Amino acid sequence: MGTVTIGVSIAVPEPHGSLLQQLRQGFGDAAAHGIPTHVTLLPPTEVDAASLPAIEAHLTEVAAAGRPFPMRLAGTGTFRPLSPVVFVRIADGAEACTWLQKQVRDASGPVARELQFPYHPHVTIAHGIEGEAMDRAYAELADYEAGWPCTGFALYEQGPDGVWRKLREYPFGGSAVVPPQADRLGRSTLPGGR
C-alpha cells in the first residue's frame, strides 16, 4: 500500500482562513496555496497507508474526550532566527491546543512521535521567504484579531501535488465526519463532480 503524509490540525474558519491564506500568498509564500490556514496538532508525518484506520479510530477517541473551547487570534510572533516563520498568535485556546496535540501524539497511540521543536500553537502566515517579506508580514498583521468557538479538528493528507486535503473531521464529543466536497484524491463526491 505504501506510505502517505498526514497532518492533524484545527482549521481556521471562514472568513478568517481564506483571508490569512491570501495574505500569506501575498507575502510571497509559494506553498500557501496548498496549505489551508490552521493550527497544527500533528505536523506532517509519514505513515503506512494501512495504518490509517487505526489512526482514524485513535483520533475519534481523542475528539470524543475533547470539549469545545474559545479560540482567539491576536497579534503576531516569530520563531526567527531559530526557524524562518512568522505567525499569528493564539491569545485564547493555547492550553486546549497543547492538551489536544499531546493526546494525538500519545506514546501509546498510532502516531506517537517526537517534535523537532517544543510545541507552540500558532497560525503560520509566512514561512521560508525573504527577510523583508517576513518583516512585512509581522508588521502588517500586528493588530490582527479573530475569534471563534473551536468545535473539533481534522485529519489531512498531503497529495503528490503538495496540496493538503481534508480526509475527516472530528467534532468534539462526536464521531468522524467525511467532508462531502472531495475524496482523498481531491475528486468531488457531489453529484456531477469529477
Side-chain angles (χ1 to χ4, degrees):
M1 265 186 117
T3 62
V4 293
T5 300
I6 63 165
V8 177
S9 64
I10 296 169
V12 175
E14 297 305 329
H16 318 296
S18 292
L19 172 66
L20 291 174
Q21 188 175 32
Q22 289 169 3
L23 289 169
R24 185 172 176 174
Q25 288 175 311
F27 295 133
D29 192 329
H33 79 281
I35 305 171
T37 308
H38 67 282
V39 177
T40 299
L41 298 177
L42 176 73
T45 302
E46 189 173 323
V47 299
D48 287 329
S51 68
L52 280 175
I55 292 167
E56 291 172 354
H58 171 66
L59 295 176
T60 298
E61 289 178 13
V62 171
R67 296 293 173 262
F69 59 91
M71 180 79 86
R72 187 170 65 87
L73 309 179
T76 51
T78 185
F79 294 132
R80 295 185 293 173
L82 189 60
S83 181
V85 173
V86 172
F87 57 86
V88 175
R89 298 167 32 95
I90 308 292
D92 292 324
E95 286 182 24
C97 292
T98 300
W99 180 85
L100 280 169
Q101 66 87 30
K102 284 181 184 175
Q103 305 312 304
V104 169
R105 296 185 308 102
D106 187 80
S108 66
V111 284
R113 66 166 285 184
E114 294 296 318
L115 298 177
Q116 183 178 0
F117 299 105
Y119 183 74
H120 181 87
H122 64 280
V123 176
T124 299
I125 53 169
H127 180 237
I129 60 176
E130 293 183 19
E132 185 177 301
M134 300 274 271
D135 293 342
R136 191 164 59 93
Y138 187 89
E140 285 186 18
L141 290 169
D143 295 327
Y144 180 82
E145 284 197 43
W148 68 92
C150 181
T151 59
F153 57 85
L155 171 65
Y156 291 81
E157 180 180 337
Q158 187 177 38
D161 57 359
V163 174
W164 287 91
R165 293 179 180 87
K166 189 183 301 182
L167 297 181
R168 299 271 185 284
E169 294 178 354
Y170 297 89
F172 294 137
S175 57
V177 178
V178 178
Q181 68 272 17
D183 67 9
R184 290 183 56 215
L185 300 176
R187 298 176 301 224
S188 174
T189 56
L190 298 174
R194 295 189 293 182

